[in-house]
Amino acid sequence: MAEHTYVLGIDIGGTNIRMGLVDENNELSEYLKVPQESILTGEDTLESLAVYLEGYLAERAKGKDVIAIVAGIPAAMSRDRSTVLNAPNIRGFSGKNVQAALQSHFSCPVLLERDATMLFYYDLYQHNIPHKDIIIGCYIGTGIGNVISVDGKPLVGNDGSAGELGHIPVWDKTDICNCGNEGCMESHVGGKYLVELQKTTFPDVDIHDLFAERGDAPELDRYVEHLSLPITTEINILNPAVIILGGGVLSMPGFPKERLEKYIYKHSRKPFPADNLHIVYSDNGGENGIYGSALYARDILGK
Ligand SMILES: [Zn+2]
């Protein structure tokens, strides 16, 4: 009998696909980071991904007990997490039953989930947060990744679309979001907005250094307050036990976390949830999605 069991965790990003084998002690091995376009090739990108993974397992997992293959995807997915409804950054996935296409190649279970959920599982593990009660995760990158977990289970919603925090409508805004709607929140508080702000208002500062160099500028102060609004909206609705904040924007050097927390407190209902906010930060490591995928798979499979 094999000594360890492994999960092949895959983090499918808009630019790179990362993967690795994670054992039951959360040790990662055989880590790879490959440009998406080198793996998703040809007409049928699902077939090319499956063939790539078969090669990976044959070469790197020989003789190992791989109990699941699990992928985190930046996508809207069906309630049963088989079909990708819309994945603008992943070529050839939208409208396909990705789970069935991959499963036909492998004997162990193939699981899919939204990438934010995988990060959430990693953050629970890393911060030693018991997965119970109400916990939310808000990941501010180009858009807003959101996870709402109730009693140990991330909310999926009737159609698989719970937790679309970035698409809260903002009144009087008419700009068109990636999703096709007018005036979505993430068009005004996501990383994409920050890039625009840098171009129009701080053209002499590198985007990476925006907070480190101009964090006190009134435009950035306003940005941070605006960013607090969707987060606090969710806090006021759910009164969560723990609030996990992360994503590329919050990991920028000099990002004013204290000021964000001040604004979250300001807009939270008093006395509660305002007086009992338990905020923790994600460390935004590049391999978190792989670890999180493995933790997710073991949770789902009970292994
Ligand atoms: Zn939208």
Side-chain angles (χ1 to χ4, degrees), residues 23-41:
D23 72 12
E24 66 282 354
N25 301 317
N26 292 305
E27 295 290 337
L28 172 65
S29 57
E30 304 295 344
Y31 173 70
L32 272 190
K33 176 180 165 186
V34 184
Q36 187 199 112
E37 64 208 23
S38 327
I39 295 182
L40 305 184
T41 57

Side-chain angles (χ1 to χ4, degrees), residues 269-291:
R269 182 80 159 95
K270 314 296 183 304
F272 298 115
D275 288 344
N276 196 19
L277 298 173
H278 182 201
I279 296 175
V280 299
Y281 290 92
S282 179
D283 71 5
N284 207 42
E287 291 140 28
N288 295 8
I290 299 176
Y291 287 110

Side-chain angles (χ1 to χ4, degrees), residues 110-234:
V110 175
L111 304 171
L112 303 179
E113 240 307 338
R114 297 193 310 175
D115 53 356
T117 303
M118 304 310 196
L119 295 178
F120 179 83
Y121 268 82
Y122 175 76
D123 289 332
L124 292 180
Y125 166 76
Q126 206 232 342
H127 289 283
N128 242 321
I129 300 166
H131 197 179
K132 58 177 191 172
D133 304 324
I134 297 175
I135 306 174
I136 63 169
C138 300
Y139 299 93
I140 319 300
T142 308
I144 301 178
N146 181 217
V147 180
I148 300 164
S149 189
V150 180
D151 297 336
K153 269 188 90 154
L155 278 187
V156 174
N158 193 60
D159 303 295
S161 294
E164 291 291 344
L165 187 60
H167 304 280
I168 291 178
V170 183
W171 63 53
D172 294 341
K173 301 287 185 190
T174 54
D175 53 293
I176 305 296
C177 174
N178 266 342
C179 76
N181 282 350
E182 276 184 9
C184 287
M185 184 66 88
E186 74 177 27
S187 311
H188 300 280
V189 304
K192 224 174 111 191
Y193 175 82
L194 206 54
V195 170
E196 280 306 307
L197 186 68
Q198 179 268 329
K199 278 186 194 152
T200 54
T201 313
F202 307 100
D204 54 325
V205 184
D206 189 287
I207 180 75
H208 184 74
D209 302 322
L210 204 52
F211 287 108
E213 292 192 11
R214 302 293 172 85
D216 291 329
E219 294 86 351
L220 285 171
D221 185 57
R222 201 174 318 126
Y223 170 81
V224 173
E225 180 157 15
H226 287 173
L227 178 54
S228 77
L229 298 180
I231 299 168
T232 315
T233 299
E234 196 158 274

Side-chain angles (χ1 to χ4, degrees), residues 243-271:
I243 301 142
I244 300 171
L245 301 180
V249 170
L250 271 62
S251 301
M252 287 168 70
F255 180 88
K257 288 176 180 166
E258 278 178 20
R259 201 178 310 160
L260 176 62
E261 289 178 24
K262 184 189 84 179
Y263 285 128
I264 289 173
Y265 178 79
K266 174 183 166 186
H267 293 289
S268 293
R269 182 80 159 95
K270 314 296 183 304

